[in-house]
Amino acid sequence: MSLRIVVTVKYVPDATGDRHFADDLTVDRDDVDGLLSELDEYAVEQALQIAEDADDAEVTVLTIGPEDAKDALRKALSMGADKAVHVEDDDLHGTDAIGTSLVLAKAIEKAGYDLVISGMASTDGTMGVVPALVAERLGVPQVTLLSEVSVEDGTVKGRRDGDAASEQLEASLPAVVSVTDQSGEARYPSFKGIMAAKKKPVESWDLSDLDIEAEEVGLEGAWTKVEAAAARPARTAGTIVKDEGEGGKQLAEYLASQKFI
C-alpha cells in the first residue's frame, strides 16, 4: 500500500520586502511579493527523502491562501512533490491559527494521509503551534521539532535536539511531525523539475468542499486578533566616538549610560 505523505506549506510575504498591516490589522499581502515559507522547504525536503526511501509513496503539498498561494505549491512541485491541493475562499481572510488548523485537518482528511509533515513554524506568524493543533484535530500522535526523521514498518522515528540533550522519539502511523531548519538543506528545483511541475495536478477546494461554515474561520471566527499596531520608528544615527586620547573613556561612559556595563 502506498505511503501517503501530506506536507503543509504556507505562502508568506517576502521578509526582505516592506511588510505592514492592512486597515483591518491583518497582514497586507497585496503590496509585497510572496513565496514559499523557507521553513516549509525543509518539510518538503524530508517528505521527498522519505518517499525516495519507500517502496511506494506519494507526496501531496497542501496550502491555504489566495490565488497567488499557488506559487508556493509550484515551488514544492518543482522540488519533486507529486500533486498539490489549494484551499482558497474569500471567507478565510483573517483566519488565525485555530481556524487554520481546522481547515488543514479537514483538507488532510479529504486528501487521505498516513503521515503529515510541517515546518517548525511559518516565517510570518512564527507561532509554531499549528502542527500540534492539526494532530489534536486529527486524533493522531504528534512528534514535533525533529532534526532527523524516517519511516519504517508503519512507524515514524526522529531525533529532537534540545539545549542539553537529544531525544529519540517515535510514533505509529498515522501521525503528524514537524521538522526544524537543522533537518537538512532543501534541494533546488532543477529545470526538469520546473517543467514537470507544470503538468502535475493541483486541486482547488473551498470551505463548502470541506464542510466548514464561514463563521468558523476568518476574522469573525478567530480566537485571537491584533488590537493595535504601530510602525517601527526609523533607525537613528549612531554615536561616533573620535579617539583623541580619550576614546576609551568616552566609549566606557557611553556603554555605561546605555546600561551595557
Side-chain angles (χ1 to χ4, degrees):
M1 183 176 177
S2 176
L3 175 65
R4 300 167 300 172
I5 305 173
V6 177
V7 187
T8 61
V9 300
K10 190 174 184 182
Y11 181 73
V12 299
D14 188 342
T16 63
D18 182 18
R19 297 175 294 173
H20 55 274
F21 287 102
D23 292 339
D24 61 1
L25 295 180
T26 62
V27 176
D28 189 341
R29 301 178 184 275
D30 294 331
D31 292 337
V32 62
D33 291 334
L35 71 170
L36 171 62
S37 177
E38 180 183 357
L39 292 174
D40 290 340
E41 291 187 18
Y42 297 99
V44 175
E45 176 61 33
Q46 291 308 305
L48 295 175
Q49 288 190 24
I50 291 171
E52 289 166 357
D53 291 337
D55 293 331
D56 185 15
E58 182 178 65
V59 177
T60 302
V61 285
L62 165 65
T63 196
I64 303 170
E67 175 66 23
D68 288 346
K70 282 188 172 69
D71 290 345
L73 296 177
R74 292 189 187 97
K75 173 71 176 292
L77 290 172
S78 66
M79 289 172 67
D82 298 298
K83 61 181 183 178
V85 174
H86 179 207
V87 181
E88 179 184 9
D89 198 299
D90 290 342
D91 288 325
L92 285 168
H93 175 72
T95 301
D96 64 357
I98 300 292
T100 295
S101 70
L102 171 63
V103 178
L104 287 175
K106 291 280 191 178
I108 289 166
E109 288 179 325
K110 183 177 175 66
Y113 74 102
D114 298 299
L115 177 65
V116 179
I117 305 181
S118 302
M120 61 188 290
S122 63
T123 55
D124 55 352
T126 65
M127 294 184 68
V129 299
V130 169
L133 293 172
V134 168
E136 176 67 18
R137 289 190 183 276
L138 293 174
V140 300
Q142 55 166 304
V143 188
T144 55
L145 301 176
L146 301 181
S147 54
E148 184 179 276
V149 61
S150 63
V151 173
E152 184 178 353
D153 297 329
T155 300
V156 58
K157 300 179 181 181
R159 188 185 77 242
R160 178 190 293 155
D161 295 324
D163 293 335
S166 293
E167 302 171 297
Q168 295 292 334
L169 307 168
E170 66 177 56
S172 58
L173 298 179
V176 173
V177 306
S178 67
V179 297
T180 72
D181 54 357
Q182 301 302 308
S183 58
E185 282 297 317
R187 67 193 67 186
Y188 289 103
S190 64
F191 178 75
K192 181 179 179 181
I194 293 172
M195 298 305 294
K198 297 179 180 181
K199 298 180 181 179
K200 293 179 179 179
V202 178
E203 292 192 61
S204 295
W205 298 340
D206 59 18
L207 291 179
S208 65
D209 292 316
L210 302 176
D211 295 324
I212 297 174
E213 298 296 329
E215 295 76 16
E216 298 179 84
V217 295
L219 282 175
E220 292 300 319
W223 289 40
T224 58
K225 65 178 181 179
V226 177
E227 293 284 355
R232 183 169 55 190
R235 182 177 296 179
T236 58
T239 300
I240 298 176
V241 174
K242 294 183 178 180
D243 187 6
E244 297 177 349
E246 296 288 326
K249 180 180 178 181
Q250 293 180 55
L251 180 58
E253 289 175 348
Y254 173 77
L255 292 174
S257 71
Q258 300 297 314
K259 302 187 185 301
F260 291 133
I261 59 174

